[in-house]
Amino acid sequence: MGFLSFLFGGKYPSTQKYEARLNQEAADYERFKQLATSDKYARYKELEATINTDEFKNKVHKLKTEKFSDTEAYKQEQEYNRLKNTSEMKQYAKFKAKQLDKRLELAKQTTDYAQYKELEATVTSPDFVAAQAQKDFKKTTEYQTLKSYKKLYKASAVKFVRKTEASEAYNNFLRVDGSDNLKKLEALEEAVNSNEFKKFKAEMEDSKRFKKSAEAQTINEYEQLSKDKDIVWYLKNLSANTFAEIASRQLTFNDEFTTFDKQKWGVGYYYGATLAGTSYSLLNERQTFSAKNIRTAGSELTIETRKETAKGKRWNPAIGFVNGDFDYTSSLINTGASFRQKYGRFDFKVKLSNNAPVVHNIWMVGEKQTPMINVVSFGSDKKNIRVGSVTNSGAKTVTIDGANFSEYQIISLIWTSQSLTWCINGKEVHTQRSEVPQEPMYINISSNVTADGDTPLAQLTADWIRVYEISK
């Protein structure tokens, strides 16, 4: 029976400690189920799944080991620096820095330069060159034109244009400006000077890069949750499968007896009330059953058997119902109309105040008188009980001793398709493996008087009843 089989001293475990352990187990299981569906555990599982992916592990590895020099950005920066420091690009940059290209353009827009270019076209023409060979050239208009040309040749704007265009720097400018290399350099320059590039480089060169990363925060959050007392407790019990037994049980019927629930319980033999519409006793019984003998107080239900004369009905198999006089009053309650179950766990917390000649019974039966399961019968000795079953082939009953039912004890029946097992406070006391009933049954609790004797008051008290289905 797992943890339920431990002892606390004596032949049977202490009822108080056993029940406390049951309650603690139930509370722990509720906590376990709540944690299983909690946001905290969901977050833990989400983080666990994340950090165990190859993608995440690779990202962490890169964050811890990759340098800026390992990146494409570094290659871009290196190529940029290489191109920028070539002689042609350095000369081009110097030319542009002095704004010589703009100054050249402005000089070409001056009147002097425009007139110079116009006269240059004239003085270099074949006719003008031929005219210069004449002896009286100085007396000609062409000579005045030549003088004007030579004067403009020395003008500052014209000199600047001539000197600049004759320079290697200008020729380099013409080669570089608009070239593929310049376009490539400009594109690289834009990239390496972008805020995005600078931010990336700074992050890659930060010695605390990993610690500042989202991945480090994810790992840290996971590690913190791994140490959380609820998560640690949950995982420990999940790994140990601590709640396998209780998880296999589903509560199907219970009564804590804060009041007498007539929706759950009928009074008297079920078939008497159902078929005959009356309560009755069997032919050998000295008590009549009455609802007046049932009381609830302090979350306990008590069936009282009192020595007092009363009238009632008896069932005589030969002639049917007959009126009779009885020496005792008592009661029987049943779930015949409200609850029946085949297989499962049936727990009863009960005690007695007196017995002989009263016999207290908790039993289960189906549509017929047999088969019947005797959950427990209390005879004249409160420390001896009988358990077993009754089938068409007869009774299979054993006597169990050592449990003092003048104080509360928890009697359990575990019913499977293969066996019937009885326990007292979690300790197995008997198992029956033959002629196991295979039909739904309902619960009966009764106090009967069939033997001679004399007792003023006998009581059977139940603190609670709990029934479970057990999944395989």
Side-chain angles (χ1 to χ4, degrees):
M1 302 304 295
F3 83 90
L4 301 180
S5 62
F6 65 89
L7 299 179
F8 297 97
K11 186 168 183 178
Y12 299 104
S14 156
T15 304
Q16 182 179 6
K17 291 181 179 179
Y18 173 66
E19 186 172 20
R21 188 68 181 87
L22 285 177
N23 292 338
Q24 184 62 55
E25 183 196 35
D28 287 346
Y29 183 52
E30 285 303 312
R31 179 189 178 194
F32 183 82
K33 290 192 294 182
Q34 289 174 9
L35 282 171
T37 58
S38 67
D39 292 341
K40 183 190 291 187
Y41 182 64
R43 179 58 176 164
Y44 169 82
K45 293 298 291 181
E46 178 185 7
L47 292 170
E48 183 179 52
T50 297
I51 67 175
N52 284 312
T53 61
D54 290 340
E55 180 182 1
F56 186 89
K57 291 176 180 178
N58 291 336
K59 184 67 180 294
V60 170
H61 179 73
K62 288 183 68 176
L63 285 166
K64 289 182 175 180
T65 61
E66 189 179 40
K67 300 176 182 178
F68 179 63
S69 58
D70 299 323
T71 66
E72 287 298 319
Y74 174 78
K75 293 178 181 178
Q76 278 188 313
E77 186 182 61
Q78 290 296 102
E79 179 64 6
Y80 167 71
N81 289 330
R82 185 192 69 78
L83 276 174
K84 185 178 70 171
N85 289 310
T86 59
S87 59
E88 64 177 7
M89 290 301 176
K90 288 171 73 174
Q91 193 174 36
Y92 178 84
K94 186 176 181 181
F95 191 91
K96 292 283 289 185
K98 292 181 178 180
Q99 297 187 324
L100 292 177
D101 54 331
K102 293 182 179 179
R103 290 169 60 189
L104 186 64
E105 190 66 29
L106 289 173
K108 287 181 177 182
Q109 292 175 9
T110 62
T111 302
D112 283 352
Y113 184 75
Q115 291 175 351
Y116 166 75
K117 292 301 287 183
E118 182 180 349
L119 290 175
E120 183 181 48
T122 300
V123 300
T124 57
S125 66
D127 291 340
F128 194 91
V129 172
Q132 290 184 57
Q134 298 176 9
K135 293 183 178 181
D136 57 350
F137 175 68
K138 291 184 177 180
K139 295 179 181 180
T140 64
T141 56
E142 285 82 357
Y143 178 71
Q144 297 300 321
T145 299
L146 182 61
K147 285 178 66 175
S148 297
Y149 170 72
K150 289 181 177 181
K151 183 178 180 181
L152 287 171
Y153 184 84
K154 297 177 180 179
S156 59
V158 176
K159 284 178 68 176
F160 175 76
V161 173
R162 287 190 298 104
K163 181 179 178 181
T164 300
E165 288 186 340
S167 68
E168 172 58 26
Y170 179 66
N171 289 326
N172 181 75
F173 172 79
L174 291 178
R175 287 194 301 272
V176 173
D177 197 47
S179 67
D180 290 342
N181 274 351
L182 180 62
K183 290 176 182 178
K184 183 178 181 181
L185 177 65
E186 289 173 342
L188 289 170
E189 183 175 45
E190 181 180 3
V192 300
N193 287 320
S194 67
N195 290 333
E196 182 181 1
F197 186 96
K198 291 176 180 178
K199 180 181 178 182
F200 175 76
K201 182 178 180 180
E203 289 175 352
M204 291 298 296
E205 293 180 339
D206 187 350
S207 61
K208 297 182 179 179
R209 173 178 168 229
F210 173 69
K211 290 183 179 180
K212 294 178 180 179
S213 68
E215 287 71 19
Q217 293 174 19
T218 297
I219 292 172
N220 182 62
E221 184 183 358
Y222 174 74
E223 289 177 345
Q224 291 300 313
L225 277 175
S226 297
K227 298 173 185 176
D228 180 88
K229 63 179 183 179
D230 287 333
I231 298 298
V232 170
W233 181 88
Y234 177 81
L235 292 176
K236 178 182 177 181
N237 285 286
L238 180 66
S239 176
N241 205 17
T242 305
F243 301 105
E245 184 177 350
I246 191 171
S248 70
R249 304 197 303 257
Q250 177 67 42
L251 187 69
T252 53
F253 178 88
N254 77 301
D255 201 334
E256 305 298 319
F257 296 120
T258 54
T259 186
F260 182 67
D261 191 341
K262 294 180 180 179
Q263 298 299 313
K264 293 180 178 179
W265 300 99
V267 177
Y269 289 113
Y270 170 67
Y271 287 105
T274 303
L275 301 179
T278 184
S279 179
Y280 67 94
S281 301
L282 299 180
L283 193 60
N284 65 333
E285 292 177 342
R286 300 174 63 194
Q287 87 295 321
T288 184
F289 293 130
S290 170
K292 295 179 181 180
N293 291 62
I294 302 169
R295 61 181 177 84
T296 56
S299 298
E300 295 177 328
L301 177 139
T302 300
I303 293 177
E304 291 187 341
T305 303
R306 297 190 286 266
K307 185 170 177 30
E308 57 185 0
T309 58
K311 293 185 180 297
K313 291 184 181 296
R314 281 193 175 91
W315 169 249
N316 186 324
I319 60 176
F321 291 109
V322 295
N323 294 324
D325 295 320
F326 294 88
D327 299 323
Y328 291 88
T329 60
S330 187
S331 198
L332 180 156
I333 60 175
N334 72 82
T335 64
S338 64
F339 174 76
R340 302 184 184 207
Q341 183 169 304
K342 181 172 72 171
Y343 311 144
R345 181 188 180 99
F346 302 78
D347 291 343
F348 304 84
K349 183 182 178 184
V350 293
K351 69 177 179 178
L352 313 174
S353 66
N354 202 358
N355 276 42
V358 181
V359 176
H360 306 286
N361 303 285
I362 301 175
W363 47 290
M364 298 170 62
V365 72
E367 291 299 316
K368 299 179 181 179
Q369 290 182 333
T370 59
M372 182 269 286
I373 299 175
N374 182 16
V375 179
V376 60
S377 290
F378 305 94
S380 59
D381 184 348
K382 292 188 289 294
K383 292 187 177 181
N384 289 278
I385 62 173
R386 292 187 301 278
V387 300
S389 68
V390 179
T391 66
N392 290 333
S393 61
K396 290 180 172 291
T397 304
V398 296
T399 300
I400 308 296
D401 64 8
N404 183 8
F405 277 90
S406 63
E407 298 177 353
Y408 271 121
Q409 307 289 333
I410 298 172
I411 184 83
S412 301
L413 170 71
I414 297 90
W415 175 16
T416 72
S417 62
Q418 303 296 319
S419 64
L420 295 167
T421 299
W422 286 262
C423 301
I424 296 175
N425 290 347
K427 181 181 179 181
E428 184 176 323
V429 295
H430 178 62
T431 296
Q432 177 183 317
R433 302 186 189 281
S434 63
E435 298 187 86
V436 176
Q438 303 292 323
E439 61 187 81
M441 293 186 171
Y442 60 91
I443 300 168
N444 299 271
I445 303 175
S446 65
S447 294
N448 308 72
V449 184
T450 57
D452 293 333
D454 189 10
T455 183
L457 179 68
Q459 295 178 325
L460 167 62
T461 301
D463 190 20
W464 49 256
I465 296 175
R466 295 165 191 163
V467 182
Y468 307 87
E469 283 185 342
I470 302 176
S471 59
K472 295 182 179 179

